[in-house]
Amino acid sequence: CCVKYTHLKYDHIPGPPRSSFLFGHFFIVMGAMKKNELFYDLLLEWVNQYGPVVRFNFMHNVLLIAASPEAVKEFLMSTKYSKDIFYDKVFDLFGVRFLGNGLVTDRDYDHWHKQ
């Protein structure tokens, strides 16, 4: 099962317990939003409780929240961590790349490294 494999691969990274095997932290986030709490406050609470790198599960996807300057630098500067297709989907607005190809948004490592 894809979800089980994802859990096995990333469960060593600290994070809050999932409320659901399949949906991950979805119901925790939705519960906080129903109480008019901000999603970012929930993430900050998790960072304070679990450390500067926190795992967030949603179905078969895992998001890593990096809250320390050292972790952000490592993720941005290292070739070990490729940027996901997420960058192409989020940083295109109406079919045009609205944030350009900067240090955060450029997926081509060679082009990024020249900058």
Side-chain angles (χ1 to χ4, degrees):
C1 178
C2 179
V3 176
K4 182 177 179 180
Y5 172 75
T6 302
H7 289 325
L8 292 173
K9 185 175 179 181
Y10 292 100
D11 272 355
H12 68 281
I13 300 170
R18 292 179 293 274
S19 59
S20 167
F21 177 81
L22 180 61
F23 293 103
H25 297 102
F26 176 76
F27 296 117
I28 296 171
V29 172
M30 293 308 294
M33 292 175 78
K34 283 183 181 179
K35 295 185 226 174
N36 289 327
E37 296 176 4
L38 295 175
F39 176 65
Y40 299 105
D41 289 339
L42 182 62
L43 294 180
L44 183 60
E45 179 183 322
W46 289 350
V47 165
N48 288 333
Q49 186 172 357
Y50 297 103
V53 178
V54 178
R55 171 188 40 83
F56 175 74
N57 294 80
F58 177 69
M59 298 190 79
H60 64 280
N61 295 311
V62 175
L63 300 172
L64 296 180
I65 297 131
S68 74
E70 296 83 14
V72 172
K73 180 180 178 182
E74 174 69 21
F75 285 129
L76 290 177
M77 300 295 288
S78 177
T79 58
K80 294 188 302 186
Y81 310 104
S82 61
K83 292 181 180 162
D84 194 57
I85 192 73
F86 167 82
Y87 285 86
D88 286 338
K89 292 179 181 179
V90 171
F91 293 109
D92 283 349
L93 182 64
F94 304 116
V96 178
R97 194 162 184 87
F98 72 97
L99 289 178
N101 286 322
L103 294 176
V104 175
T105 60
D106 196 354
R107 291 187 64 212
D108 180 11
Y109 178 77
D110 292 329
H111 181 261
W112 175 88
H113 192 68
K114 289 178 188 175
Q115 296 183 41

